[in-house]
């Protein structure tokens, strides 16, 4: 069975995007950017909702060709393009960069993917992750908390019908007061 992790940058008050989908508060340090890059390099399959896919695919496919691209940005762009991806959307019609489009029921497809053999999977995007969370499909939460309160926006966690008990797997500090906490779902 494959492991599914929901990993995102999060404001201290629990949002993955501030009002207006503003992400300006989550600019990573070099060390945190390398952690994200290594994570992408180790992920066998990344599952995206439409909005996060649009954000990522509007920048990373050509980021390594931009003037002033750093070695870390070049490496991340390459890793991102090479990583197998799935986009779950009923409104998107085409995807590129080693990506497959899924227009059917996300929970059914994610359940099928988890039952397959293969490496770890990451899930991103508030709506898609919320559906997986409510269905009990997420095995691990990697919360990269930034020391900022944005006051609203897109929450990391969704409303649940029942408690989900977690076990602490890791904590790590990054420059700028950013803290990673990884939790595993206790079943």
């Amino acid at each position: 069975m494959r492991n599914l992790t929901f990993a995102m940058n999060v404001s201290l008050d629990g949002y993955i995007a501030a009002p207006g989908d503003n992400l300006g508060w989550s600019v990573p340090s070099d060390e945190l950017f390398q952690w994200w890059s290594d994570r992408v390099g180790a992920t066998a399959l990344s599952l995206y909702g439409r909005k996060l896919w649009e954000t990522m695919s509007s920048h990373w496919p050509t980021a390594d060709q931009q003037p002033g691209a750093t070695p870390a940005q070049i490496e991340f762009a390459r890793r991102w393009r090479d990583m197998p991806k799935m986009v779950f959307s009923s409104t998107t019609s085409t995807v590129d960069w080693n990506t497959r489009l899924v227009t059917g029921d996300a929970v059914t497809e994610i359940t099928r993917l988890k039952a397959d053999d293969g490496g770890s999977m990451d899930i991103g995007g508030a709506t898609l992750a919320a559906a997986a969370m409510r269905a009990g499909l997420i095995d691990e939460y990697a919360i990269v908390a930034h020391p900022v309160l944005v006051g609203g926006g897109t929450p990391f966690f969704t409303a649940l019908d029942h408690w989900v008990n977690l076990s602490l797997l890791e904590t790590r500090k990054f420059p700028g007061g950013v803290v990673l906490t990884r939790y595993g779902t206790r079943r």
Side-chain angles (χ1 to χ4, degrees), residues 8-10 26-39 76 143-146 172-175 177-180:
M8 296 287 293
N9 289 308
V10 182
S26 64
V27 175
S29 65
D30 291 343
E31 184 180 337
L32 178 56
F33 189 80
Q34 187 63 55
W35 181 84
W36 280 114
S37 183
D38 292 344
R39 182 165 191 84
F76 185 92
I143 302 164
V144 181
H146 291 251
R172 181 174 169 186
K173 290 193 277 184
F174 290 94
V178 174
V179 177
L180 162 70

Side-chain angles (χ1 to χ4, degrees), residues 16-17 44 46 52 56 83 85 98 106 110 118 124 129-130 132 139-140 166:
I16 59 175
S46 189
L52 184 57
M56 297 296 283
M83 177 182 55
K85 297 170 281 297
N98 201 18
I110 295 168
D139 302 298
E140 185 179 315
L166 305 171

Side-chain angles (χ1 to χ4, degrees), residues 12-174:
L12 200 54
D13 52 350
Y15 297 96
I16 59 175
D21 292 329
N22 185 332
L23 300 173
W25 54 269
S26 64
V27 175
S29 65
D30 291 343
E31 184 180 337
L32 178 56
F33 189 80
Q34 187 63 55
W35 181 84
W36 280 114
S37 183
D38 292 344
R39 182 165 191 84
V40 166
T43 299
L45 178 63
S46 189
L47 312 177
Y48 284 99
R50 179 192 53 83
K51 282 178 70 176
L52 184 57
W53 165 253
E54 288 174 352
T55 298
M56 297 296 283
S57 67
S58 70
H59 179 72
W60 289 110
T62 59
D64 55 338
Q65 301 160 19
Q66 301 304 312
T70 67
Q73 290 168 332
I74 292 167
E75 177 184 45
F76 185 92
R78 179 189 52 77
R79 286 175 163 178
W80 186 85
R81 279 192 309 263
D82 291 348
M83 177 182 55
K85 297 170 281 297
M86 278 189 176
V87 174
F88 292 80
S89 175
S90 60
T91 58
T92 301
S93 58
T94 60
V95 293
D96 294 313
W97 307 290
N98 201 18
T99 306
R100 190 179 107 198
L101 178 63
V102 178
T103 58
D105 181 67
V107 170
T108 300
E109 181 64 13
I110 295 168
T111 301
R112 186 192 68 73
L113 289 167
K114 281 184 56 81
D116 284 349
D117 290 331
S120 64
M121 300 185 298
D122 272 5
I123 188 167
T127 303
L128 180 62
M133 228 183 280
R134 284 189 299 274
L137 296 173
I138 297 181
D139 302 298
E140 185 179 315
Y141 296 87
I143 302 164
V144 181
H146 291 251
V148 61
L149 304 173
V150 299
T154 306
F156 180 84
F157 291 104
T158 189
L160 298 171
D161 296 329
H162 52 75
W163 292 6
V164 176
N165 292 309
L166 305 171
S167 297
L168 182 63
L169 303 175
E170 175 188 11
T171 60
R172 181 174 169 186
K173 290 193 277 184
F174 290 94

